[in-house]
Amino acid sequence: MLIIRLQRLGKLKHPSYRLIVSEKHRDTQHGSLEILGNYDPVQNPPLINLKKERIQHWISVGAQMSPTVSNLLISQGVIEGKKQGRFP
């Protein structure tokens, strides 16, 4: 099963993230099938670069998304839906 999730990069107390596609049961640092964009929440305003067409492709192939990535993509208008809360 494939999943779209965040991979943490950056220095201590200055995180930046990559959106990656990888196997669900693999470590995010092990490797990824494709890098779909990046996200830097420390900058003001947060810097978000996404490959929207590739994200749509992976979703159409059946890749799932982590809740954080799902909320990020909804806020950027890449996908439509309702944001997921922290607690069900």
Side-chain angles (χ1 to χ4, degrees):
M1 175 186 239
L2 297 175
I3 188 165
I4 301 172
R5 57 184 170 179
L6 296 174
Q7 176 186 30
R8 188 184 193 281
L9 304 169
K11 297 187 276 187
L12 184 66
K13 298 189 179 186
H14 187 82
S16 61
Y17 300 93
R18 281 185 188 159
L19 266 75
I20 62 168
V21 177
S22 66
E23 293 285 332
K24 183 170 184 164
H25 298 289
R26 278 194 189 238
D27 184 24
T28 58
Q29 301 300 324
H30 183 274
S32 60
L33 297 175
E34 186 174 353
I35 298 171
L36 300 175
N38 57 16
Y39 171 53
D40 190 355
V42 177
Q43 291 188 4
N44 193 10
L47 176 66
I48 302 171
N49 295 323
L50 301 172
K51 298 178 184 175
K52 296 178 181 181
E53 297 152 0
R54 295 304 296 165
I55 292 170
Q56 293 290 344
H57 166 75
W58 283 108
I59 292 172
S60 69
V61 171
Q64 301 295 312
M65 294 173 284
S66 70
T68 304
V69 169
S70 175
N71 291 341
L72 183 67
L73 294 179
I74 289 170
S75 67
Q76 293 299 308
V78 177
I79 60 172
E80 293 183 7
K82 190 175 178 182
K83 286 193 175 183
Q84 300 177 8
R86 280 183 79 100
F87 305 106

